[in-house]
Amino acid sequence: MDFSPTPRAAALTSRVADFMREHVTPIEGDYHRDLAEQRRTGDPWTPLPVLDELRAKAREQGLWNLFLPREHAGEYAARFGTDGGEGLTNVDYAPIAELTGRSAIAPYVFNCNAPDTGNMEVLLKYGSAEQREQWLEPLLDGRIRSAFGMTEPGVASSDATNMEATAIVDGDEVVVNGRKWWTTGIGNPDCKVIIFMGLSDPDADRHHRHTMLLVPTDAPGVKVERMLSTMGIQDEPFGHGEVSFTDVRVPIGNVISGPGEAFAIAQGRLGPGRIHHCMRLIGLAEHALEAACARGLARTAFGKPIADLGGNRERIADARIAIDSTRLLVLHAAWKLDQGGPRNALSEVSQIKVAAPNMAQQVIDMAMQMHGGAGLSDDFDLAAAWTNARTLRLADGPDEVHRGLIARLELGKHQ
Ligand SMILES: Cc1cc2nc3c(=O)[nH]c(=O)nc-3n(C[C@H](O)[C@H](O)[C@H](O)COP(=O)(O)OP(=O)(O)OC[C@H]3O[C@@H](n4cnc5c(N)ncnc54)[C@H](O)[C@@H]3O)c2cc1C
């Protein structure tokens, strides 16, 4: 097992760290204040111009699309701005994801944000040449955004085989009907396409009933019914929407991989995406621990720095242990994925998908408590960070589903 980065990956990580320090961190406070103002007075869904400026700078420096996986990057890394012109392994990309996870805007600045990265990977791995030209290239170029529509309000969607929205082949078209929700990214006007999962053959076996296809957001019959809030946060400028599909017709060429292949694609999609989420959560937890230490040393109560009161030193030590051990767990999962693909890392990826959000939630919660009332306010970014970590105990599969898989694999060794 070797987690040491290649010289190229180490250099890229260091350049991303420099970029964060010089360009992202200094503007974040103003960015969030301006966004709050936009929320009150205008349209918070169109990204503020500062984000475009930062994206242009990141791209100029080749710090663009760094998520592109080595085995599928092909010529795209060179064509669309990745310095060095090739993709990274999961182990190599992990520290970069950790750095970007410290900030709510950085993943977008580097064109490495979910769900676009997962969607781009689907197109890289399973898309036809035409689909890649029409949708993948503009995504890599940063001209459009995308969403992933699987979860439905009407059915328990932690079981992907439950989906009821339909995608029925009719001649050389597919007709799409139904309702999705928690469709992340749909609030942004640049979101031009949804990877939609629909029931296409109810009589097939449960893992071949569903089809994935590309549905343009401007197709007649697609309607964003409302934007959802996550614990009071709307997550502008991307957001999470409830979307209805009424007799939406798309060409059959929009089907990804083939009818009935949705389940296989969903499985293939989530390995690297979960590594990215988990490493970003580690960055977020590091950021919260730093904030807790700074506040704990700077503020005094009962004659002592807050860090020295009660059990706070132990809490800080426990946070360090939790972050470092989770990082090792995630790097191990990334390494297993690099060695043998998603099937080689089924348990490990589910393990980190449980461990990282729970760890981050606890560390951020500790930091909030150390900040007193301020920790729950919008003056600090901890409340939003907590919500983000809490969200990831559900998004991409609830904790319980991942625990179920880990237990099944574990018990399987003894049967
Ligand atoms: C902020 C946010 C963003 C999201 N983004 C997207 C997106 O972009 N696209 C998309 O398609 N979806 C998205 N989701 C949806 C997310 O993936 C689902 O919420 C999740 O898969 C759970 O489905 P559900 O909400 O229908 O819960 P249900 O399936 O109704 O499950 C409810 C609860 O039942 C319990 N449970 C379920 N299965 C088991 C089990 N096997 N063992 C034990 N207990 C179990 C769990 O406690 C679970 O939380 C997002 C969700 C959130 C909160």
Side-chain angles (χ1 to χ4, degrees):
M1 212 175 310
D2 183 4
F3 304 149
S4 48
T6 58
R8 172 171 172 255
L12 283 170
T13 306
S14 148
R15 286 169 49 201
V16 168
D18 291 345
F19 191 97
M20 294 281 298
R21 196 172 40 250
E22 284 166 33
H23 302 296
V24 179
T25 312
I27 63 105
E28 275 196 285
D30 283 348
Y31 171 78
H32 287 294
R33 270 187 292 280
D34 292 348
L35 183 62
E37 188 57 22
Q38 282 282 101
R39 213 175 275 139
R40 274 191 295 276
T41 59
D43 162 26
W45 299 105
T46 301
L48 291 167
V50 67
L51 287 185
D52 290 336
E53 288 159 25
L54 288 179
R55 278 161 70 79
K57 264 191 201 130
R59 189 170 185 171
E60 240 170 65
Q61 297 189 18
L63 304 177
W64 189 253
N65 292 329
L66 294 172
F67 75 95
L68 273 171
R70 191 174 56 182
E71 69 272 33
H72 299 296
E75 95 269 26
Y76 292 113
R79 267 180 66 204
F80 293 101
T82 305
D83 193 52
E86 58 188 278
L88 293 169
T89 63
N90 286 293
V91 167
D92 278 345
Y93 178 64
I96 295 175
E98 175 175 342
L99 285 169
T100 64
R102 300 170 63 91
S103 150
I105 57 174
Y108 177 66
V109 166
F110 297 106
N111 213 37
C112 287
N113 56 294
D116 293 316
T117 47
N119 291 342
M120 287 189 259
E121 275 179 50
V122 165
L123 290 168
L124 272 169
K125 255 172 119 167
Y126 304 100
S128 65
E130 294 75 26
Q131 290 168 353
R132 289 196 214 165
E133 190 183 333
Q134 190 175 2
W135 302 112
L136 173 65
E137 296 191 11
L139 278 165
L140 289 166
D141 206 22
R143 278 180 277 132
I144 64 166
R145 309 251 57 87
S146 63
F148 186 71
M150 186 192 86
T151 305
E152 299 177 11
V155 295
S157 304
S158 39
D159 178 353
T161 63
N162 270 351
M163 293 324 128
E164 283 180 346
T166 51
I168 306 294
V169 177
D170 180 21
D172 55 4
E173 290 185 323
V174 184
V175 185
V176 172
N177 277 290
R179 189 171 282 248
K180 299 286 179 183
W181 75 343
W182 292 113
T183 310
T184 297
I186 197 75
N188 186 313
D190 290 338
C191 181
K192 299 297 184 199
V193 66
I194 303 169
I195 294 186
F196 179 96
M197 177 166 170
L199 182 64
S200 47
D201 182 1
D203 298 327
D205 74 86
R206 40 198 304 267
H207 294 125
H208 292 93
R209 285 179 198 159
H210 294 87
T211 295
M212 266 189 208
L213 67 160
L214 292 147
V215 179
T217 50
D218 62 1
V222 176
K223 184 172 178 214
V224 178
E225 299 286 347
R226 62 175 175 142
M227 296 308 292
L228 300 162
S229 81
T230 318
M231 311 189 73
I233 292 175
Q234 290 243 318
D235 241 344
E236 303 100 335
F238 305 107
H240 317 279
E242 181 166 342
V243 190
S244 64
F245 299 82
T246 311
D247 295 329
V248 179
R249 289 186 166 265
V250 299
I252 195 147
N254 284 23
V255 169
I256 304 173
S257 188
E261 290 301 310
F263 200 78
I265 299 172
Q267 299 260 301
R269 175 182 189 269
L270 289 173
R274 285 174 179 154
I275 304 279
H276 306 170
H277 271 316
C278 292
M279 286 307 290
R280 283 194 293 261
L281 284 162
I282 287 167
L284 200 60
E286 281 286 3
H287 172 66
L289 178 58
E290 279 170 21
C293 292
R295 184 82 169 181
L297 290 172
R299 223 163 142 92
T300 302
F302 302 99
K304 287 186 186 169
I306 287 173
D308 287 336
L309 292 174
N312 282 343
R313 281 182 167 259
E314 297 213 349
R315 288 186 190 105
I316 286 167
D318 286 345
R320 169 52 59 216
I321 295 166
I323 293 172
D324 285 357
S325 35
T326 310
R327 183 186 292 105
L328 285 174
L329 204 64
V330 181
L331 287 172
H332 177 240
W335 177 80
K336 290 267 302 201
L337 209 54
D338 286 336
Q339 298 303 304
R343 296 215 71 76
N344 189 46
L346 280 179
S347 175
E348 288 78 7
V349 168
S350 278
Q351 288 170 42
I352 61 168
K353 182 59 187 51
V354 176
N358 279 281
M359 177 281 292
Q361 190 190 323
Q362 281 172 25
V363 170
I364 299 163
D365 195 77
M366 177 279 288
M368 286 163 81
Q369 192 72 8
M370 291 262 275
H371 279 69
L376 279 67
S377 77
D378 286 345
D379 291 1
F380 290 81
D381 53 10
L382 293 168
W386 188 92
T387 304
N388 181 1
R390 180 68 187 85
T391 294
L392 282 161
R393 292 186 50 210
L394 278 166
D396 275 358
D399 288 354
E400 293 84 350
V401 172
H402 290 287
R403 285 199 170 96
L405 177 79
I406 300 163
R408 182 156 57 80
L409 293 170
E410 209 54 38
L411 289 167
K413 295 177 192 166
H414 305 279
Q415 276 162 350

